[in-house]
Amino acid sequence: MSENSLNKQTNKIQKRLQMQDIAKLAGVSTSTVSRALNGSSLVNEETRLRVTALAQSLNYSIDIGAQNLRLKNNKTVAVVIPFDSANPQHVSDPFFLTMLGHIADELSMLGHYMLVSRISADNLTAVLEPYESGRAIGIIVIGQWRYHEQLNAMVANKPIAVWGAKMPNQHYVSIGSDNLRGGYLATEHLIKQGRKRIAFFGNKDLPEVAQRYAGYLMAHQKYDLVADQQLSIPAPFSADTVSADIESLINQSISFDGLFACSDLIAMRAIGTLQKLKISVPEKVAVVGYDDIVLAAYFHPSITTIKQSIEVGAQSLVKALFNIINHEKISSEQLDVSLVVRESSIN
Amino acid sequence: MSENSLNKQTNKIQKRLQMQDIAKLAGVSTSTVSRALNGSSLVNEETRLRVTALAQSLNYSIDIGAQNLRLKNNKTVAVVIPFDSANPQHVSDPFFLTMLGHIADELSMLGHYMLVSRISADNLTAVLEPYESGRAIGIIVIGQWRYHEQLNAMVANKPIAVWGAKMPNQHYVSIGSDNLRGGYLATEHLIKQGRKRIAFFGNKDLPEVAQRYAGYLMAHQKYDLVADQQLSIPAPFSADTVSADIESLINQSISFDGLFACSDLIAMRAIGTLQKLKISVPEKVAVVGYDDIVLAAYFHPSITTIKQSIEVGAQSLVKALFNIINHEKISSEQLDVSLVVRESSIN
DNA sequence: AAAATTTATGCAATCGTTTGTAATAAATAT
DNA sequence: ATATTTATTACAAACGATTGCATAAATTTT
């Protein structure tokens, strides 16, 4: 212990082993070591085995900085999560986190690392920083993006894939579900159950939510119903205000018999609040959620939700990004993740 | 569009700007550019402004690979999530994900990046790879670690911080909650409600769970109860088997009036199953969960759980790691995250 | 057996920064 | 007016890998 701390003070930190050292010990040149370690056919089999065994036994591992400097391929993809500087909330949204998990799965399956960074929305240029600095070979952006214009101006022809709504005239590849259709499906599901006054809980400032709302209106039109403006509540995905919003509706005697929640969190919170107010679900008010996060399945009673497969979304994002990186195809088309109305359950 | 694809085929990718280019344009040497960009006092104020402005306007950013090769400081911490090669499940456990989110918050607050990698448990040496290769300056390991011995042999004096139970004779720094106490608190809570036959749902192969079970036994002893072996069910955190387990207990007529679940997922699943079987909660069977994941708060009826603050845990992990890195203190003490029995709710 | 080919290895340049040291110009002291 | 100090800047050597090219040894061909 004391020897240790002495070490720390007097000597430099124990020098990292490098190729030169391995080379010296193996009695070959560094070129040979490099080739051996990378399985080049230019090195004798016997030598290769000897060198790799030596390297292994000495616990040597290639310096990634140096390698990257030469090769410009660092096997790393950055996932950027923007946040509002106004309320720099934590990364706690289960949708984000689940997406993050699936992206991690997908990337590690492809032998890549995932670099996570959070950036403030008012420092948008930072989105590309991990790529520009050579930290990552590409960028995945998750999060409802409020600043489409700025993003659009910045990222043309860069290796970037965005989760979110398709916007008019967009210069980047985005993957997302068809929010218009999702909104339509959810609303139709409620209408088919005979609901006539359907509350919409979601913040229409977000493009994705706006599109869902359009679907909501479309369903109303299709079934000859009119949507009451008063029933549109700008609730954030995190559902913080939902209890108060519902109570407020009831206090104002604004009646409703259906509720379309733009996230499962909102749905869960709404159901909880309604039950607390002794309004039976689904008898008095039917609720449909959105996302189908894993936890929704554990909720009791089970909730009906618009399933957008986060796993498929993650896979598509990764695939799209690699396509761009490999120049296989550059398109600004949106890939759609299929949507299903379903009762959330564990399978 | 066609011009674009042509470009892709004929030209190399547009060469990255480098210091040399900036230097040439600014009419100075690269050293000066480097110093200007890093705010060195060895460069004239006027020059500095001119150079930084130029770099900014050209959207130049320092190549991280080259910089890292020189400086050995890449501002990156790796978070390693081990998984069982037997069942390579997805990163979907909400506890993991929440932890991941908080670590990301904490690191980004400190101006660092988070690198996520999943490794197979039978390739343990890979834990240190991100550090050994110079990809990251330190490692955080999350996850119930089944292979304490191997880990222990490998990581002495390396910059690594582990989330988990404290093990005898450990050579690494670990952060975790006092599982013994947690198990005790949960059980005591049930006993104080008059419960006498308390089922334990958790896989004792995991050190953390084993410690909780010890706490469970301790509480029994304290209150002069005997724990029935038959009531100890090896349920995984993910709760997949919980429904079947409960039904099996009931079919075998093994009665119980309390249930201590080692994760909130288990608790939620158990409550759902019991309700489905018309066994009222908490009247007939009282349930206590563990973790206090965010979503538990949305569950209805609200569930009682042992709160271990994941946020505090994440902060402690990061802090401990930086302490090691900065040689501020190397200790193999465990830092405890405080525990509270509480009804999960949104605040 | 000599020439041509194949196989295995080493040399040295390179990737894009940072930084110790030397060089120059400007400012101050003698 | 000269010597000394101070402020800027440039030069060139690292950092640790990869790889085109040259070379030497082993093999095959003629």
Side-chain angles (χ1 to χ4, degrees):
Chain A
M1 200 55 167
S2 68
E3 183 202 8
N4 203 329
S5 44
L6 193 72
N7 243 343
K8 290 272 149 45
Q9 295 228 303
T10 52
N11 303 348
K12 260 195 181 161
I13 291 178
Q14 182 200 342
K15 221 182 101 209
R16 272 197 46 162
L17 222 51
Q18 50 182 267
M19 268 196 189
Q20 231 176 39
D21 305 319
I22 307 286
K24 203 161 293 171
L25 291 170
V28 295
S29 71
T30 58
S31 340
T32 302
V33 175
S34 172
R35 290 198 255 259
L37 261 36
N38 293 317
S40 160
S41 64
L42 285 178
V43 63
N44 184 296
E45 181 67 9
E46 185 270 327
T47 319
R48 217 203 71 223
L49 288 172
R50 194 161 47 87
V51 170
T52 50
L54 183 65
Q56 183 92 38
S57 76
L58 294 175
N59 215 340
Y60 167 78
S61 86
I62 291 179
D63 182 298
I64 217 64
Q67 188 181 51
N68 184 24
L69 177 58
R70 260 313 290 243
L71 300 185
K72 261 92 221 10
N73 176 14
N74 51 18
K75 298 255 173 201
T76 302
V77 167
V79 176
V80 175
I81 305 175
F83 64 90
D84 251 340
S85 55
N87 61 332
Q89 64 200 339
H90 295 288
V91 179
S92 63
D93 187 304
F95 179 84
F96 278 11
L97 288 176
T98 309
M99 182 63 97
L100 210 56
H102 282 295
I103 293 176
D105 282 339
E106 201 58 25
L107 288 174
S108 79
M109 207 169 300
L110 294 169
H112 282 247
Y113 286 82
M114 175 173 92
L115 189 73
V116 177
S117 88
R118 307 186 58 218
I119 68 156
S120 159
D122 45 35
N123 183 20
L124 268 195
T125 40
V127 176
L128 285 170
E129 198 273 340
Y131 168 69
E132 300 287 5
S133 69
R135 221 179 258 280
I137 56 173
I139 307 274
I140 291 175
V141 180
I142 342 180
Q144 313 79 19
W145 202 271
R146 287 181 161 86
Y147 306 94
H148 166 68
E149 290 300 336
Q150 296 163 67
L151 186 64
N152 213 22
M154 189 183 312
V155 302
N157 291 318
K158 304 274 180 176
I160 185 170
V162 178
W163 173 265
K166 180 174 168 66
M167 302 297 281
N169 223 265
Q170 96 189 12
H171 295 149
Y172 50 88
V173 173
S174 75
I175 308 288
S177 55
D178 184 342
N179 289 288
L180 183 72
R181 184 151 161 278
Y184 180 85
L185 286 175
T187 313
E188 183 179 50
H189 178 82
L190 289 168
I191 293 175
K192 282 194 172 163
Q193 294 186 347
R195 312 298 167 157
K196 306 233 180 278
R197 291 184 53 76
I198 299 168
F200 179 92
F201 274 65
N203 179 1
K204 287 178 286 187
D205 287 348
L206 305 174
E208 287 158 297
V209 173
Q211 295 179 357
R212 289 176 201 171
Y213 187 68
Y216 164 91
L217 292 179
M218 190 185 290
H220 277 78
Q221 195 161 20
K222 168 87 183 291
Y223 290 91
D224 291 323
L225 292 173
V226 276
D228 184 348
Q229 286 282 7
Q230 289 185 98
L231 288 174
S232 170
I233 310 295
F237 286 158
S238 58
D240 306 320
T241 62
V242 168
S243 277
D245 289 336
I246 288 182
E247 281 165 14
S248 157
L249 281 177
I250 287 168
N251 288 342
Q252 292 177 262
S253 308
I254 303 175
S255 70
F256 56 101
D257 54 8
L259 194 159
F260 171 21
C262 278
S263 78
D264 284 339
L265 285 188
I266 296 176
M268 292 164 96
R269 201 86 177 95
I271 292 173
T273 306
L274 289 169
Q275 288 184 330
K276 197 176 294 169
L277 297 173
K278 307 279 182 217
I279 298 172
S280 63
V281 180
E283 291 78 8
K284 286 286 185 90
V285 175
V287 177
V288 173
Y290 209 105
D291 287 348
D292 196 32
I293 54 176
V294 173
L295 272 243
Y298 291 81
F299 203 67
H300 187 89
S302 61
I303 73 179
T304 299
T305 186
I306 301 295
K307 174 188 175 69
Q308 48 179 342
S309 171
I310 304 179
E311 187 174 356
V312 173
Q315 287 166 357
S316 305
L317 277 167
V318 171
K319 208 168 103 187
L321 183 63
F322 279 100
N323 277 346
I324 300 172
I325 291 171
N326 301 327
H327 303 301
E328 270 159 25
K329 183 175 108 189
I330 302 203
S331 80
S332 35
E333 290 160 38
Q334 183 191 41
L335 284 84
D336 266 331
V337 174
S338 66
L339 293 173
V340 193
V341 182
R342 69 165 211 149
E343 194 165 297
S344 190
S345 72
I346 305 168
N347 282 321
Chain B
M1 199 55 163
S2 68
E3 183 202 7
N4 204 328
S5 43
L6 192 74
N7 242 342
K8 289 275 147 42
Q9 296 228 303
T10 52
N11 302 348
K12 261 197 182 158
I13 291 179
Q14 183 200 342
K15 217 182 106 212
R16 275 196 46 164
L17 222 52
Q18 50 182 266
M19 269 195 187
Q20 227 175 40
D21 305 320
I22 307 287
K24 203 162 289 171
L25 291 169
V28 295
S29 70
T30 57
S31 345
T32 302
V33 175
S34 172
R35 292 196 171 100
L37 262 35
N38 294 316
S40 158
S41 64
L42 285 178
V43 62
N44 184 296
E45 181 68 7
E46 185 269 328
T47 319
R48 215 203 73 223
L49 288 172
R50 194 160 47 86
V51 170
T52 50
L54 182 65
Q56 182 93 38
S57 76
L58 293 176
N59 214 342
Y60 167 78
S61 84
I62 290 180
D63 182 297
I64 219 65
Q67 189 181 50
N68 184 24
L69 177 59
R70 260 315 290 239
L71 300 184
K72 262 94 219 5
N73 176 14
N74 51 17
K75 298 252 174 206
T76 302
V77 168
V79 176
V80 175
I81 305 176
F83 65 89
D84 250 340
S85 55
N87 62 332
Q89 64 200 339
H90 295 288
V91 180
S92 62
D93 187 303
F95 179 84
F96 278 11
L97 289 175
T98 308
M99 182 62 97
L100 209 56
H102 282 296
I103 294 176
D105 282 340
E106 202 57 25
L107 288 174
S108 82
M109 205 170 299
L110 294 170
H112 282 247
Y113 286 83
M114 174 174 93
L115 188 73
V116 177
S117 87
R118 306 186 57 221
I119 69 155
S120 160
D122 45 36
N123 184 18
L124 268 195
T125 39
V127 176
L128 285 170
E129 198 275 338
Y131 167 69
E132 299 287 4
S133 69
R135 220 178 257 283
I137 55 172
I139 308 275
I140 291 176
V141 180
I142 342 178
Q144 314 79 20
W145 202 271
R146 287 181 161 86
Y147 306 93
H148 166 67
E149 290 300 335
Q150 296 164 66
L151 186 65
N152 212 24
M154 191 183 311
V155 302
N157 291 317
K158 305 275 178 175
I160 186 169
V162 178
W163 172 265
K166 179 175 170 63
M167 303 296 283
N169 222 266
Q170 94 187 14
H171 296 147
Y172 50 89
V173 173
S174 76
I175 309 287
S177 55
D178 184 342
N179 289 288
L180 183 73
R181 187 154 158 274
Y184 180 87
L185 286 175
T187 312
E188 181 179 53
H189 178 81
L190 289 167
I191 292 174
K192 282 193 171 163
Q193 292 185 351
R195 311 298 165 156
K196 306 231 182 277
R197 290 184 53 75
I198 299 169
F200 179 90
F201 275 65
N203 178 2
K204 286 178 288 186
D205 287 349
L206 305 174
E208 285 157 299
V209 173
Q211 295 179 357
R212 290 177 201 169
Y213 187 69
Y216 164 90
L217 292 180
M218 191 185 289
H220 277 77
Q221 194 161 22
K222 169 87 183 288
Y223 290 90
D224 290 323
L225 292 174
V226 275
D228 184 347
Q229 286 282 6
Q230 288 187 95
L231 287 174
S232 169
I233 310 293
F237 285 158
S238 58
D240 306 319
T241 62
V242 168
S243 277
D245 288 337
I246 288 182
E247 282 165 13
S248 158
L249 280 178
I250 288 169
N251 288 341
Q252 294 178 260
S253 307
I254 302 174
S255 70
F256 57 100
D257 54 8
L259 194 160
F260 169 23
C262 278
S263 80
D264 283 341
L265 286 188
I266 296 176
M268 292 163 95
R269 200 87 177 94
I271 293 172
T273 305
L274 290 169
Q275 288 183 330
K276 197 177 295 167
L277 297 174
K278 309 282 183 215
I279 298 172
S280 62
V281 178
E283 292 78 8
K284 286 285 185 89
V285 175
V287 177
V288 174
Y290 209 105
D291 287 349
D292 197 33
I293 55 176
V294 174
L295 272 243
Y298 291 83
F299 202 69
H300 186 89
S302 61
I303 72 181
T304 298
T305 186
I306 301 297
K307 174 189 175 71
Q308 48 178 343
S309 172
I310 304 179
E311 185 173 358
V312 173
Q315 288 167 355
S316 305
L317 277 167
V318 171
K319 209 168 102 190
L321 183 64
F322 279 99
N323 277 347
I324 300 173
I325 290 171
N326 301 327
H327 304 300
E328 270 161 23
K329 183 176 109 191
I330 302 201
S331 80
S332 36
E333 288 161 38
Q334 182 192 41
L335 283 85
D336 267 329
V337 173
S338 66
L339 294 174
V340 194
V341 182
R342 68 168 210 147
E343 196 165 295
S344 190
S345 73
I346 305 168
N347 282 322

